[in-house]
């Protein structure tokens, strides 16, 4: 249910702000309202008659949830970790012998799509259909891209194919 549909100042005449005014953006406001409705349903089910004022209960739930969202955002924004300097991993020399490094360098020269196809195919062991689905392309495109990428790699690495 959209945030604007929540009973608020525009409908009930109260001074409570609308959810859109409580958080930074409309999608978050809609999530807050949806979560409040879900919590209301979980807690009271179809027995809303047990509540003295369901609108007030829902409005309070929305305000409290919005406050929680803003509190989490404030905490996250206050903590900005130090930027890590680029340091090669300790096991780089073990894992990337000279020939491996040549392959990595050759991969960097391929197009982004060629690199993605080869990595998904040979490192992640995905099938052509899975790669096509992951990248949003056809199986034929996966096949031709892989073929062209392997040709380019073999030329760069001077390996007869």
């Amino acid at each position: 249910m959209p945030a604007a549909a929540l009973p608020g100042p525009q409908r009930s005449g109260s001074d409570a702000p609308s959810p859109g005014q409580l958080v930074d953006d409309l999608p978050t406001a809609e999530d807050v309202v949806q979560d409040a409705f879900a919590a209301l349903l979980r807690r009271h089910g179809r027995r809303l008659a047990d509540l003295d004022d369901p609108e007030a209960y829902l409005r309070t739930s929305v305000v409290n949830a919005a406050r929680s969202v803003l509190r989490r955002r404030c905490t996250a924004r206050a903590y900005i970790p130090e930027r890590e300097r680029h340091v090669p991993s300790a096991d780089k020399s073990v894992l990337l012998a000279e020939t491996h490094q040549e392959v990595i360098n050759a991969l960097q020269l391929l197009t982004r799509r060629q690199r993605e196809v080869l990595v998904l195919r040979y490192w992640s062991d995905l099938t052509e259909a899975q790669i096509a689905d992951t990248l949003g392309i056809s199986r034929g495109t996966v096949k031709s891209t892989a073929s062209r990428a392997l040709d380019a790699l073999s030329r760069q690495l001077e390996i007869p194919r």
Side-chain angles (χ1 to χ4, degrees), residues 8 11 19 22 25 27 33 43 48 57 76 82-83 88 110 128 136:
R11 293 191 57 205
L22 294 173
D25 58 341
V33 172
R43 183 170 202 136
L48 290 180
Y57 180 91
E82 277 187 46
R83 266 185 101 167
L110 298 176
E128 290 170 349

Side-chain angles (χ1 to χ4, degrees), residues 60-149:
T60 301
S61 296
V62 168
V63 169
N64 288 339
R67 287 178 180 156
S68 292
V69 165
L70 293 176
R71 204 170 24 251
R72 283 190 301 273
R73 284 185 182 172
C74 185
T75 301
R77 289 176 183 153
Y79 174 73
I80 301 172
E82 277 187 46
R83 266 185 101 167
E84 294 182 23
R85 287 174 269 137
H86 179 67
V87 178
S89 63
D91 58 354
K92 181 178 179 180
S93 62
V94 174
L95 295 176
L96 296 177
E98 189 174 321
T99 55
H100 292 110
Q101 189 61 48
E102 289 175 15
V103 172
I104 298 295
N105 293 340
L107 278 171
Q108 295 302 318
L109 298 175
L110 298 176
T111 66
R112 182 180 56 84
R113 179 177 283 173
Q114 287 175 335
R115 231 182 357 262
E116 290 170 346
V117 167
L118 290 184
V119 168
L120 291 174
R121 187 172 190 179
Y122 295 105
W123 272 272
S124 299
D125 288 327
L126 296 183
T127 65
E128 290 170 349
Q130 291 169 321
I131 295 169
D133 187 49
T134 301
L135 298 179
I137 57 179
S138 70
R139 284 184 65 196
T141 302
V142 171
K143 290 178 187 180
S144 64
T145 302
S147 176
R148 289 186 185 116

Side-chain angles (χ1 to χ4, degrees), residues 6-16 55 59:
L6 176 69
Q10 68 276 15
R11 293 191 57 205
S12 68
S14 74
D15 292 328
E55 281 187 41
R59 194 174 307 109

